[in-house]
Amino acid sequence: MTFAPDMTERLARARADLRMGVPIVLDTGAVVLAAETLDAARLAHVRGLGGDPALAITGWRAQTLKARAYDGDVARVALPPDASLGWVRSIADPSDDLNNPMKGPLRTQRDGGADDHRAAIALCKAARLMPAALVLSVADPAGFAAMHQLTMVSAKAAMDTGLSALNPIIAARLPLEVSEAGRLHIFRPDDGAEEHYAIEIGQPDRSKPVLSRLHSACFTGDLLGSLKCDCGPQLRGALSQMGTEGAGVLLYLNQEGRGIGLANKMRAYSLQDQGFDTVEANHRLGFDDDERDFRIGAEILKRMGFSAVRLLTNNPAKVARMNDAGVTVVERVPLKVGENPHNHAYLATKAAKSGHLL
C-alpha cells in the first residue's frame, strides 16, 4: 500500500502547476511550461539548459501566424536566441495580432516527433490556459523532475481522451421558481476537474424518455444577463418548460465558453470586438470550434437511471453525441429563445458554421 498519487492524481497536480507557472515533466523526456504563465526567470533557466526549445502551438494558431505546421494539428516554433518573454506571449496570444501582424518569419521544426508537444497542448487546454507551451527535451526526465521537485506525468495519459468516472456526491431537495419539486444532484469526476450538476424537476419516470437539456455553464449569460449570447434565456426557458410539463432533467455542465474556460472566452470576446466571429476567434486563439465533451451529460443521465431523452436543443451535434454515448434521443425539442440585436450575428454564425437549427 502506498500514499503516492496515481497518474490521474498526478495529472491534476500537473494542471494546477501549469496554471501557477510551475514547469512539469513528461515521462517521454520533455519539460513543459505553459506560455500563458511563463515568467522571465524560468524562460532564462530554460535557455541555460541548452538544447532546442520550441513553442508548441496548435495548427489553428499556426494558420493565423502563417507558420508551417509540419505536424498538421501542431506546430513546433523554434525559439529564437534573442526571444523575450514578450515574444513568447505574442506567439501564444492573438490579442495584438492586428496591431503587430508581422511576428515572423517563424521557423518551425520539422524533424523528430511532436507527441510531447501534443501532450503539452492537451495539458494547457485541460488547465483552461491558452493552448501554447514551451517544450524542451531532457535526457533523464525522472532525474530532472526529482532534482527540481517537479511533477512528472505520462505523456500518453495526458493525451487520453477517455471520460473520467463521474461520482454522485449528494442530492437534495431544492424548490425552484419553475417548480417546487426541484432536486439538485452534484457529480464529481475522478480526475479532479470541475464538478457538474443535474437539476431534476418532479419525479421523471426512468422507464420513459425524459425531457432533458445539456446546458454548458455561461457565467456571463446565465448570471449577468449578457446580451451577447442566448444562453441565459435558454437556461430559463428549458427549466420553465420542464416545470410546465412537471418533469425533466437539466444538466449544468461546467464547460464554460464551449469548453475553453472563462478567461479564454473573454479573450475570444475581445477578438470579436476586433471583427472576428465566434469560430474565427476560437481558431485565432488556437482552439477548435467547440472543445466540449457531451459524453459527460450522457454519463450523468445513465448514472441517474435514464436511457432515453427528449432533448431540448438546436444543436444536432448534441443529438449525435448523446446517441453515440448510449443515450437514445427520441426527439429533438427546439429551444428558440433569446435573440436580440446584440447577438444576431452570433446566432447567425452558430447556424452557418456550427449547424445549429435556428
Side-chain angles (χ1 to χ4, degrees), residues 79 88 122 133 137 173 182 185 194 230 271 273 299 327:
L79 195 70
V88 172
S137 296
R173 187 176 70 87
H185 302 253
E194 299 94 339
D230 55 345
L271 291 172
D273 288 341
E299 184 63 23
V327 173

Side-chain angles (χ1 to χ4, degrees), residues 310-332:
R310 296 166 51 228
L311 192 62
L312 277 159
T313 185
N314 303 321
N315 184 0
K318 284 186 181 179
V319 176
R321 297 294 83 76
M322 292 289 278
N323 284 322
D324 291 345
V327 173
T328 303
V329 179
V330 300
E331 178 187 2
R332 184 188 70 81

Side-chain angles (χ1 to χ4, degrees), residues 7 10 34 42 49-50 87 92-93 108 123 143 146 194 231 253 255-256 331 336 340 353 358:
M7 189 49 63
R10 286 184 179 276
R42 285 194 166 112
L49 295 173
W87 181 90
D93 187 349
T108 53
L123 285 167
E194 299 94 339
C231 301
L253 309 180
Q255 302 190 104
E256 180 84 42
E331 178 187 2
K336 299 179 181 179
N340 65 71
K353 294 189 175 182
L358 301 175

Side-chain angles (χ1 to χ4, degrees), residues 1-175:
M1 185 175 181
T2 176
F3 286 116
D6 62 20
M7 189 49 63
T8 297
E9 293 160 340
R10 286 184 179 276
L11 286 168
R13 281 187 180 181
R15 294 194 298 269
D17 286 349
L18 290 172
R19 287 180 65 86
M20 293 186 293
V22 178
I24 61 99
V25 177
L26 300 177
D27 62 352
T28 43
V31 59
V32 173
L33 301 95
E36 180 175 338
T37 53
L38 178 68
D39 62 27
R42 285 194 166 112
L43 175 59
H45 190 64
V46 168
R47 290 190 181 286
L49 295 173
D52 297 308
L55 184 60
I57 59 175
T58 69
W60 286 119
R61 183 66 184 139
Q63 182 176 314
T64 295
L65 295 171
K66 303 295 189 291
R68 290 185 179 274
Y70 292 110
D71 304 296
D73 58 327
V74 172
R76 295 169 283 153
V77 181
L79 195 70
D82 60 346
S84 64
L85 180 61
W87 181 90
V88 172
R89 294 273 174 80
S90 73
I91 299 302
D93 187 349
S95 60
D96 73 337
D97 281 357
L98 295 188
N99 292 328
N100 299 284
M102 297 302 295
K103 300 181 186 297
L106 302 177
R107 182 174 65 85
T108 53
Q109 297 174 351
R110 188 171 191 169
D111 298 330
D115 286 347
D116 287 345
H117 303 77
R118 289 189 180 91
I121 288 174
L123 285 167
C124 287
K125 284 185 176 184
R128 300 294 188 253
L129 299 170
M130 286 187 291
L134 193 61
V135 180
L136 176 68
S137 296
V138 291
D140 176 14
F144 187 91
M147 178 187 300
H148 297 281
Q149 302 181 53
L150 300 177
T151 302
M152 187 172 77
V153 297
S154 160
K156 181 179 180 181
M159 290 295 296
D160 185 4
T161 57
L163 186 65
S164 180
L166 286 158
N167 304 302
I169 303 302
I170 186 66
R173 187 176 70 87
L174 182 66

